[in-house]
Amino acid sequence: MTILATKFTPEVLLSAPRRSPAIPNSSGKLALYTVSQYSFETHSKKYSIKVLDISSGHSTELFTNPAYSEPTWVSEDEFIFVNEVNDNDAVTYLMLASVSESKPSAYVIQSFRCSVSNLKAKDIGNGTVALALTAPASASGSMHDALKERKPYSSARVYSSLFVRHWDTYVSEHRSVVFYGALRKDEKSTKYQLLGPGLVNALAGTMLECPVPTFGGAADFDISKTGLVFLSKDPEINPAMWTKTDVYYVPLKRFTEKKPPTPQIVKTGGLQGYSASPTFSHDGDKLAFTRMRHKQYESDKPRLMLIPNIEDLSNVQEFYKTDDGEGGWDLRPETIVWSNDNKELYVTAEKEGRQLVFKLPSSPLEARELPQPLIKDGAVGSISNLATNDGRLFLTSTSLVDNSSYSILDPVSNERILVSSISKEGKTLGLSRSQFDEFWFQGAGDYKSHALVMKPTNFEPAKKYPLAFLIHGGPQGAWGDSWSTRWNPAIFAEQGYVAVMPNPTGSTGYGQQYVDDIALDWGGRPYNDLVNCFEHIADNLPYVDTGNAVALGASYGGYNWIQGHPLGRKFKALVCHDGIFNTLADWSTEELFFVLHDMGGTPWEKRELYEKWDPAAFVGEWATPQLVIHSELDYRLPISEGLAAFNALQSRGIPSKFVMFPDENHWVLKPENSLVWHKEVLGWINKYTGLNTIELASSVEGLSLR
């Protein structure tokens, strides 16, 4: 059964199956992935580990236990995975199973008394598979024993340094570290066993932490036959004030070394910011990664870097390096994959609302021409090699109408073959690529700005549609041709709006200067870009009724600047999710480096800038009905910001509503909460635009995991 939706509604969005990236095995014939799906009928989630036959596109279900996660190949047909059970003897088990069994069974390799995650495995020869994973470590460096942890009599927490809390949790004393080990098959039982001395803390004796909080994962480290590389914040500087993240190398030959060598730092000269995506070549001799220049700027441009010989960490080369230090390639490389012969690199980078794949020589000395994209549309989230004798790539991607697709890309001919689309390229969700459009408009300076558009499925050019003006957060971010379960423009389009998503000054994917120019100017050029975009819509999109418009946004998109300025009077209603009320309260956030950069310093050093761009200073001009949404676990923008905005609206007698979620962070992630979020948002804007019927559910014939 597949989803057959007569209309794309919030219920369809939130109950649609969600697939992980599919990872091929070494022959490129099979790929492992997971899929989950929430049911609003049973109020429960289904979950499955599946294997995809790449040639036919047919999938087979292997396991449905929701405690199973992170399937990772260890051979052509065998894979390990995590079983998080939290029983009396263990919290997590490392399991192994085979896709060749007609009825797959699994056996335990090792049990752990804490949560482990981010599995990586690599065949290093002689029947040995190198293994790495992450887990919390105690002060002694050993793996934390959660079952022995004594519950304190007091709930007090005492801190003498930053962070106190990060994203949605208060920081604990346990650091996450990378453990390594080796697996080998027992000759008698033919089962994999963990070789002595078991799992070893690669960061032992240091103050280093990996993955990097709070969103770090398996991409923060890599393994090869030559050793292990990982990322960590610089322990010598305050992580709340600075972004500096370094690459470290631990040489290992067998992955059974009882005492790991001291991690060796990779020095990059004047580049002192974030590092990311450390990726070994297939032979383990070379390392590629990215590095930013500024150590207090999270949205600086990543530079693509190479260590051509991992035994010589002093030789670090930058791709497209320029004498002025700006770098010759003005995009932001992210995911890195080596070609099978190690002669080329494939990287993803954002460009004008798309996350595309680029190809370039694997040596900076040979990379003379700027790389060109191999695809045109969508957002590629994962790249994998296929067979070792096959130069083709396996892509996992999404788009504004397709929530998950797997495809094969030939990097020579640029031919792309669809293997599997979970939504049949949007058809089973009731969506079509014809709904998507875009335009460029004159920005507030001598530059053009870009906007994406989503129209209703029953769009008729001769009709007039109310406008849903969506403002993205970040502010260094962008709307793109990608899927979202939180701010999906098709949801608004299917209510009867034309959804327009401008990418004003500060947006990524349009060159680094465009990103940089929002700093110190929050209510300046970005606001004027939005004004120009609105005027462009009024003058050039005859099917949009700008006299019947609403504006919505989250985080910086909920920056209440618009409410206090003339653009705010252009809208019938506003929606502000986890927004900003008072810039002088920005120091209640957790990652202080963000506000330090964007406001040019501290409130006692640069108070005039904090006051200049303070929305609270213009509350006397507020007049537009506004829905305020905020969550208790949002430590990035604490809930006091939402309460203050609502208090101001109510005090001024402006129609307003406050919705709060006690168990959500900066994002509303739980399906039942998200459905309420959609109901409140759509109910609010539909009330003021005259679209009084909220369709939260549609005729759905069968919901199934695919």
Side-chain angles (χ1 to χ4, degrees):
M1 293 285 288
T2 60
I3 296 176
L4 301 173
T6 58
K7 187 178 180 68
F8 186 63
T9 65
E11 190 173 50
V12 172
L13 167 69
L14 299 171
S15 60
R18 305 184 188 190
R19 295 196 303 194
S20 71
I23 307 301
N25 63 3
S26 58
S27 68
K29 296 179 179 179
L30 303 174
L32 285 167
Y33 67 96
T34 64
V35 57
S36 64
Q37 181 177 25
Y38 190 82
S39 168
F40 288 103
E41 293 180 358
T42 63
H43 304 285
S44 62
K45 183 183 289 186
K46 295 180 180 178
Y47 175 85
S48 180
I49 294 178
K50 292 196 167 189
V51 62
L52 172 73
D53 182 288
I54 294 177
S55 63
S56 68
H58 175 73
S59 292
T60 301
E61 188 173 76
L62 301 174
F63 296 105
T64 59
N65 189 333
Y68 293 0
S69 64
E70 300 194 41
T72 304
W73 294 108
V74 294
S75 71
E76 186 67 15
D77 59 358
E78 295 163 305
F79 64 96
I80 54 175
F81 60 91
V82 170
N83 178 13
E84 193 149 358
V85 293
N86 197 18
D87 61 20
N88 293 329
D89 299 316
V91 176
T92 311
Y93 292 103
L94 179 65
M95 312 282 288
L96 188 137
S98 173
V99 299
S100 62
E101 298 178 359
S102 57
K103 291 185 178 181
S105 60
Y107 64 85
V108 176
I109 296 176
Q110 182 79 19
S111 64
F112 306 96
R113 295 168 71 91
C114 67
S115 179
V116 303
S117 58
N118 300 312
L119 302 183
K120 283 202 171 181
K122 174 77 173 181
D123 186 343
I124 57 174
N126 298 320
T128 302
V129 175
L131 170 69
L133 52 80
T134 64
S138 64
S140 66
S142 61
M143 195 173 288
H144 172 58
D145 189 334
L147 298 180
K148 283 187 177 180
E149 190 171 39
R150 296 175 61 183
K151 187 176 181 179
Y153 294 108
S154 168
S155 61
R157 294 172 180 264
V158 180
Y159 296 89
S160 58
S161 64
L162 299 173
F163 290 109
V164 170
R165 58 187 191 178
H166 200 186
W167 188 248
D168 59 5
T169 58
Y170 279 82
V171 175
S172 76
E173 61 181 339
H174 306 297
R175 291 179 295 112
S176 180
V177 302
V178 182
F179 289 85
Y180 67 81
L183 299 172
R184 186 179 295 161
K185 274 189 177 181
D186 179 76
E187 294 181 0
K188 295 181 179 179
S189 66
T190 69
K191 290 185 176 181
Y192 278 93
Q193 294 182 343
L194 189 62
L195 302 180
L199 291 175
V200 177
N201 181 354
L203 284 61
T206 73
M207 294 299 294
L208 304 175
E209 182 175 17
C210 182
V212 177
T214 183
F215 299 113
D220 282 5
F221 65 96
D222 198 17
I223 55 177
S224 75
K225 67 177 184 179
T226 57
L228 181 152
V229 291
F230 65 90
L231 305 178
S232 181
K233 281 290 190 82
D234 187 336
E236 300 299 322
I237 58 178
N238 195 305
M241 308 284 282
W242 306 95
T243 61
K244 186 170 183 283
T245 307
D246 294 309
V247 178
Y248 293 85
Y249 172 56
V250 180
L252 298 168
K253 297 299 183 184
R254 301 177 300 277
F255 279 78
T256 55
E257 289 86 342
K258 186 175 183 179
K259 184 178 180 181
T262 301
Q264 303 173 24
I265 191 170
V266 175
K267 296 182 179 181
T268 55
L271 303 180
Q272 293 290 305
Y274 269 126
S275 298
S277 304
T279 309
F280 278 114
S281 57
H282 295 293
D283 56 17
D285 294 338
K286 305 176 183 66
L287 180 73
F289 61 100
T290 67
R291 178 77 157 179
M292 293 181 181
R293 176 168 54 173
H294 300 294
K295 62 180 179 180
Q296 203 172 54
Y297 185 21
E298 65 176 354
S299 298
D300 194 14
K301 181 175 68 176
R303 319 299 177 90
L304 190 60
M305 312 294 291
L306 175 75
I307 298 176
N309 181 356
I310 196 62
E311 294 183 357
D312 180 11
L313 299 185
S314 65
N315 183 11
V316 182
Q317 302 174 6
E318 179 183 346
F319 286 82
Y320 306 111
K321 185 177 181 179
T322 58
D323 292 338
D324 61 5
E326 296 297 325
W329 191 27
D330 207 18
L331 295 185
R332 305 169 61 83
E334 295 182 24
T335 301
I336 303 171
V337 170
W338 293 78
S339 64
N340 287 320
D341 60 7
N342 295 318
K343 293 182 178 180
E344 293 173 315
L345 293 178
Y346 303 106
V347 301
T348 61
E350 187 180 10
K351 180 177 174 62
E352 298 176 356
R354 282 85 170 170
Q355 189 77 6
L356 305 178
V357 181
F358 295 80
K359 178 176 70 173
L360 65 156
S362 62
S363 168
L365 302 178
E366 299 176 10
R368 301 178 183 89
E369 302 294 328
L370 293 181
Q372 299 301 312
L374 304 181
I375 62 174
K376 297 180 180 179
D377 295 304
V380 175
S382 171
I383 311 174
S384 298
N385 300 110
L386 286 176
T388 54
N389 59 350
D390 189 335
R392 297 180 303 162
L393 304 172
F394 188 85
L395 309 182
T396 297
S397 60
T398 71
S399 74
L400 280 167
V401 300
D402 191 353
N403 60 342
S404 173
S405 69
Y406 303 145
S407 60
I408 294 173
L409 174 67
D410 185 331
V412 177
S413 66
N414 291 5
E415 180 185 15
R416 189 176 179 184
I417 301 172
L418 180 66
V419 175
S420 169
S421 167
I422 198 169
S423 68
K424 304 297 182 185
E425 299 179 273
K427 294 182 180 66
T428 59
L429 298 175
L431 301 177
S432 166
R433 191 66 182 172
S434 64
Q435 294 177 251
F436 172 73
D437 203 351
E438 60 190 311
F439 62 84
W440 291 81
F441 61 95
Q442 183 62 47
D446 57 349
Y447 56 87
K448 293 287 186 178
S449 294
H450 186 216
L452 309 182
V453 180
M454 279 294 286
K455 305 172 187 176
T457 50
N458 58 356
F459 175 75
E460 296 181 30
K463 288 187 175 181
K464 285 262 188 185
Y465 297 87
L467 169 66
F469 197 71
L470 306 183
I471 306 169
H472 70 69
Q476 294 91 352
W479 294 115
D481 184 14
S482 61
W483 190 258
S484 173
T485 55
R486 291 183 289 113
W487 285 89
N488 193 309
I491 287 294
F492 301 97
E494 292 309 275
Q495 289 289 309
Y497 296 92
V498 168
V500 175
M501 299 153 280
N503 283 330
T505 295
S507 300
T508 52
Y510 303 91
Q512 189 59 35
Q513 190 62 51
Y514 196 69
V515 179
D516 294 344
D517 283 344
I518 195 171
L520 315 183
D521 198 26
W522 269 29
R525 274 180 47 173
Y527 169 78
N528 292 320
D529 287 346
L530 295 176
V531 171
N532 288 7
C533 181
F534 188 90
E535 293 176 352
H536 179 95
I537 296 167
D539 295 339
N540 296 277
L541 302 186
Y543 51 84
V544 177
D545 182 3
T546 52
N548 193 18
V550 292
L552 312 88
S555 196
Y556 177 83
Y559 176 47
N560 281 287
W561 192 260
I562 284 176
Q563 174 67 284
H565 287 78
L567 182 58
R569 307 293 80 78
K570 302 287 187 180
F571 301 107
K572 294 288 186 70
L574 303 173
V575 175
C576 171
H577 173 102
D578 287 7
I580 301 163
F581 175 74
N582 182 2
T583 52
L584 291 171
D586 279 351
W587 272 57
S588 60
T589 191
E590 15 84 283
E591 292 183 345
L592 293 172
F593 52 72
F594 168 73
V595 66
L596 281 167
H597 175 270
D598 274 31
M599 291 296 166
T602 65
W604 52 93
E605 295 169 326
K606 299 290 184 178
R607 188 176 183 88
E608 69 281 2
L609 269 176
Y610 284 80
E611 291 179 341
K612 180 178 182 180
W613 304 124
D614 182 15
F618 300 90
V619 169
E621 304 299 321
W622 288 21
T624 304
Q626 181 166 323
L627 171 64
V628 179
I629 306 173
H630 226 102
S631 298
E632 285 277 9
L633 299 182
D634 184 359
Y635 300 154
R636 185 139 298 181
L637 285 167
I639 195 169
S640 56
E641 290 293 280
L643 286 167
F646 179 66
N647 290 346
L649 290 160
Q650 287 283 301
S651 298
R652 289 185 53 76
I654 299 170
S656 50
K657 182 187 283 191
F658 181 68
V659 178
M660 67 84 67
F661 297 95
D663 55 347
E664 299 284 4
N665 55 37
H666 202 53
W667 305 322
V668 176
L669 300 176
K670 296 178 173 65
E672 299 285 355
N673 287 345
S674 186
L675 189 61
V676 171
W677 184 96
H678 281 89
K679 180 179 179 180
E680 292 292 342
V681 169
L682 296 178
W684 184 258
I685 63 175
N686 289 357
K687 172 184 175 181
Y688 287 96
T689 57
L691 298 178
N692 290 316
T693 302
I694 309 171
E695 293 191 58
L696 290 179
S698 65
S699 174
V700 180
E701 301 177 8
L703 297 171
S704 65
L705 296 173
R706 283 178 47 78

